[in-house]
Amino acid sequence: MSRFRRLADGGWRLALLLLLLPIASRQAPAAIVDRIAALVDRQVITVSEVSQMAEIRFFPRKAGQSDDDSRHDILESLIAQALRFRDVERFGAEDIPKDSIEARFLDIQKRFPAAGDFAAAMQRAELSPDEVRALVKRQLQVEAYIQERFAPMIFVSTDEIEAYYRGDWSQQRRQRGLSIPPLAEVTEEIRTLLKSNRLQSEIDRWTTQLRARANVDIYSWR
C-alpha cells in the first residue's frame, strides 16, 4: 500500500472517529461516548460489544485465561465473524431452524451456574434474549455455510487413520495412563477427529484470506 493510500485511509478513519462523538455532548458534557475497538473496512466494532460478549460468555473462554487475553480473543472472534458473515451474505445466508437456535442459546446458558445467572448477565449487558438469539442465528448461519462449502471436500484415508492411531493418538493415551483399544474400535472416532482438525485448518485459511483482502484496524478491547 502506498504512503498516499495510508494517509488517505488514516484521514477517513480519523473523520469517522470524530463523527462518532455525539453532537449532543456540547449540551450534556457528562454523556458517555462508546469507544471503537476495531474497524473492519467501514464496519465498526465497539468496546461495548466486546464487553457484552464477555458478560454473556458468548464465546467459550479458555481455562486459566486472563480477562485481558479473553477480551482480546473476543475481539478477534468478532472480527473473524464479521469477515466470514460478509462472505456468507454474498451467497445467501441459510435460514436456521428455531430449535437449532434454541439449542445453542441453551449451550451458552449452561456456561453459567444457573439460568438466573445468565438472565442477570443479559440484563447487565443490556441484551434481550431475542437479541442474543439473533447473534446465535448469525453464528449458526456462518457454521452452516462452512459445512456446505468446506466439509464435503475433506477426506481422511484409512492409511491416515492408521498412521495417526499408531503415532500421536496412542502416544497421548500412554501419557495419560489410558489403555489403547484395537484400531477397529476407534476408527470412526479418529476419522471424526482428523476431519475436525482438517476442517478447522480450512476455516483458518479462509479467514486469513478474507482478512488479507480487508482493512482491519484494532484500537482497543478494554
Side-chain angles (χ1 to χ4, degrees):
M1 183 183 293
S2 70
R3 181 172 179 273
F4 177 79
R5 172 72 182 280
R6 290 196 298 270
L7 289 172
D9 286 349
W12 72 256
R13 289 191 178 90
L14 178 58
L16 179 58
L17 288 169
L18 293 174
L19 284 172
L20 289 174
L21 294 174
I23 296 173
S25 66
R26 296 172 187 170
Q27 287 78 35
I32 298 175
V33 180
D34 201 355
R35 290 176 294 134
I36 295 177
L39 285 174
V40 182
D41 290 325
R42 300 194 180 191
Q43 180 177 346
V44 177
I45 298 173
T46 64
V47 172
S48 67
E49 288 178 77
V50 176
S51 297
Q52 286 176 321
M53 296 299 97
E55 190 68 64
I56 67 171
R57 305 181 188 178
F58 190 80
F59 300 105
R61 181 167 174 169
K62 298 174 185 175
Q65 192 175 41
S66 69
D67 288 344
D68 190 65
D69 286 344
S70 175
R71 289 178 66 89
H72 180 263
D73 281 357
I74 289 170
L75 177 57
E76 288 292 337
S77 294
L78 288 172
I79 291 170
Q81 186 163 283
L83 291 167
R84 293 168 186 165
F85 192 73
R86 290 195 311 193
D87 211 39
V88 171
E89 285 185 308
R90 289 174 53 221
F91 297 95
E94 286 187 23
D95 195 21
I96 303 297
K98 289 183 179 180
D99 51 347
S100 297
I101 295 172
E102 197 61 27
R104 180 63 59 85
F105 182 85
L106 292 175
D107 284 343
I108 298 172
Q109 179 178 288
K110 289 175 184 176
R111 293 169 192 163
F112 292 81
D117 297 325
F118 181 43
M122 286 191 288
Q123 188 171 11
R124 288 192 299 271
E126 299 182 341
L127 289 169
S128 69
D130 283 345
E131 287 173 324
V132 176
R133 289 184 176 94
L135 294 170
V136 166
K137 180 179 180 179
R138 175 172 290 204
Q139 186 181 57
L140 291 175
Q141 285 174 320
V142 172
E143 291 177 12
Y145 174 79
I146 287 169
Q147 287 298 320
E148 182 179 345
R149 176 176 173 181
F150 298 110
M153 298 186 298
I154 296 174
F155 173 77
V156 177
S157 69
T158 302
D159 289 345
E160 289 174 309
I161 293 171
E162 184 174 351
Y164 187 73
Y165 169 79
R166 299 191 183 286
D168 291 347
W169 193 85
S170 295
Q171 183 178 353
Q172 289 168 8
R173 290 186 67 89
R174 290 191 193 96
Q175 291 172 347
R176 294 160 57 192
L178 300 174
S179 62
I180 301 175
L183 174 59
E185 294 181 11
V186 294
T187 294
E188 290 309 310
E189 175 187 335
I190 293 175
R191 187 191 309 277
T192 299
L193 176 62
L194 291 177
K195 279 188 172 183
S196 177
N197 291 343
R198 197 161 296 174
L199 178 61
Q200 187 58 53
S201 295
E202 290 297 323
I203 295 169
D204 292 342
R205 181 162 54 185
W206 171 50
T207 307
T208 298
Q209 291 170 348
L210 292 174
R211 190 158 182 160
R213 296 197 295 265
N215 289 310
V216 178
D217 293 309
I218 295 175
Y219 298 100
S220 176
W221 52 89
R222 293 181 291 271

